[in-house]
């Protein structure tokens, strides 16, 4: 069980540290997907290392009309889950600790890669994500940082930022955790009614159906996914598609129909008032 709950960088840096430090960055409302990240982190640094979970609801990555105020804040439960999964400390800074003096005047910009797909749907979102990730990397000083592959575009951008700006940290992506019905774990799943969830399941079904066509190439993958998603648009409540894209995982540009090798099939859609994202990594033109 965790005994450490530092609220400032000074308190975090004062913790005894031996071996490597791994950090798992979250906005709280932890679930089994986060627990998997924490367990993976523990495995990477070993029993002598230190695992720190950050809990910070970052206002910079919420756009106008998004759910900053509605975002669940469950710190006590988060500390319990993190400790059970193997974390040594939960770093839960205030907004003033992360952004002293108010919103930062200098920020990280995600560039063209951050303007596609999620970035197009949520302008400025990835600038806010990269800015807080950069800040938290500086505040927590980890050797390795772990992020879920469910947020595939975010993971790609963080990797690019770390490479382009020479951050001395290893970035590790951890596969998406799914529940028994194959829905990707997300803190936003709690907003889904029973009927909403039945519709939302069509997102993962589209991805898994498309994956069966990966050896046939990009065209069959796109058509397979689209057929499932189009049918879901007629359900009650309907699936309102934002985008379905088959992209290069390195830069999130759409791959051509003759592309072979690694790709990511990504979907974003709204069910009722809840916006959901999911993706699956593929190897086009070859076996999984």
């Amino acid at each position: 069980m965790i005994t450490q709950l530092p609220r400032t960088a000074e308190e975090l840096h004062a913790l005894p540290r031996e071996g490597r430090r791994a950090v798992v960055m979250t906005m709280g409302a932890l679930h089994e997907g986060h627990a998997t990240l924490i367990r993976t982190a523990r495995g990477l640094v070993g029993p002598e290392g230190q695992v720190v979970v950050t809990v910070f609801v970052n206002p910079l990555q919420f756009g106008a009309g998004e759910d900053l105020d509605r975002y669940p804040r469950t710190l006590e439960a988060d500390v319990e889950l993190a400790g059970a999964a193997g974390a040594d400390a939960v770093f839960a800074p205030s907004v003033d600790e992360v952004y002293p003096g108010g919103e930062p005047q200098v920020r990280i910009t995600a560039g063209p890669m951050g303007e596609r797909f999620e970035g197009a749907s949520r302008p400025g979102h990835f600038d806010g994500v990269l800015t807080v990730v950069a800040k938290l990397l500086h505040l927590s000083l980890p050797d390795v940082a772990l992020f879920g592959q469910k947020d595939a575009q975010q993971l790609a951008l963080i990797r690019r930022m770390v490479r382009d700006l020479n951050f001395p940290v290893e970035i590790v992506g951890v596969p998406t955790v799914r529940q028994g019905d194959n829905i990707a774990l997300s803190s936003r799943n709690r907003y889904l009614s029973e009927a909403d969830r039945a519709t939302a399941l069509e997102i993962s079904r589209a991805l898994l159906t498309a994956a069966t066509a990966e050896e046939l190439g990009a065209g069959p993958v796109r058509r397979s996914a689209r057929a499932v998603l189009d049918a879901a648009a007629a359900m009650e409540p309907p699936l309102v598609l934002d985008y379905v894209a088959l992209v290069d995982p390195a830069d999130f540009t759409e791959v051509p129909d003759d592309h072979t090798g690694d790709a990511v099939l990504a979907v974003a859609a709204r069910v009722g008032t809840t916006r959901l994202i999911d993706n699956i990594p593929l190897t086009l033109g070859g076996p999984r």
Side-chain angles (χ1 to χ4, degrees):
M1 172 60 79
I2 287 178
T3 57
Q4 304 294 338
L5 183 59
R7 298 293 194 136
T8 67
E10 183 178 8
E11 292 173 353
L12 177 61
H13 297 163
L15 297 181
R17 176 176 179 176
E18 296 182 10
R20 302 173 77 209
R21 173 181 283 173
V23 67
V24 174
M25 296 185 190
T26 82
M27 292 208 300
L30 302 189
H31 50 62
E32 180 57 28
H34 299 106
T36 298
L37 288 168
I38 297 165
R39 288 192 291 267
T40 304
R42 173 55 65 197
L44 286 174
V45 301
E48 73 285 352
Q50 185 181 72
V51 176
V52 175
V53 176
T54 69
V55 173
F56 179 67
V57 181
N58 177 34
L60 293 192
Q61 68 192 70
F62 287 81
E66 292 189 334
D67 53 1
L68 174 60
D69 292 336
R70 191 171 72 136
Y71 200 88
R73 291 160 171 83
T74 57
L75 183 59
E76 184 176 346
D78 293 343
V79 169
E80 183 176 352
L81 183 147
D88 297 296
V90 169
F91 177 43
S94 67
V95 173
D96 287 341
E97 176 71 13
V98 178
Y99 301 121
E103 290 194 6
Q105 296 300 301
V106 177
R107 308 186 187 197
I108 302 290
T109 178
M113 186 175 167
E115 296 171 358
R116 304 175 187 126
F117 306 112
E118 284 301 291
S121 298
R122 306 173 69 187
H125 169 71
F126 285 124
D127 292 356
V129 169
L130 294 184
T131 298
V132 79
V133 169
K135 295 272 286 185
L136 289 172
L137 287 175
H138 288 313
L139 291 170
S140 62
L141 300 174
D143 300 289
V144 57
L146 295 90
F147 298 88
Q149 291 179 0
K150 175 177 170 290
D151 297 297
Q153 189 174 3
Q154 171 181 285
L155 174 59
L157 279 161
I158 291 169
R159 282 179 165 150
R160 188 62 186 249
M161 177 187 73
V162 164
R163 186 180 74 183
D164 286 356
L165 300 183
N166 301 103
F167 279 72
V169 62
E170 177 188 0
I171 302 299
V172 173
V174 178
T176 301
V177 177
R178 299 182 181 278
Q179 294 182 272
D181 56 8
N182 282 324
I183 196 168
L185 278 173
S186 169
S187 59
R188 292 181 177 178
N189 289 352
R190 68 184 67 195
Y191 302 140
L192 298 172
S193 68
E194 185 176 346
D196 290 343
R197 190 179 180 99
T199 297
L201 289 175
E202 296 302 294
I203 297 174
S204 57
R205 192 167 80 84
L207 296 174
L208 295 171
T209 299
T212 65
E214 66 178 337
E215 293 182 27
L216 302 177
V221 164
R222 287 187 172 103
R223 288 191 293 274
S224 296
R226 193 77 203 211
V228 175
L229 296 168
D230 286 348
M235 295 177 69
E236 184 55 45
L239 184 83
V240 181
L241 187 64
D242 186 344
Y243 62 78
V244 54
L246 187 61
V247 300
D248 185 325
D251 60 9
F252 264 67
T253 56
E254 287 266 13
V255 301
D257 282 346
D258 62 354
H259 177 82
T260 58
D262 292 342
V264 172
L265 180 62
V267 174
R270 194 173 295 276
V271 181
T273 61
T274 305
R275 187 174 184 275
L276 301 168
I277 62 171
D278 201 353
N279 69 84
I280 191 168
L282 302 173
T283 303
L284 299 178
R288 289 180 67 82

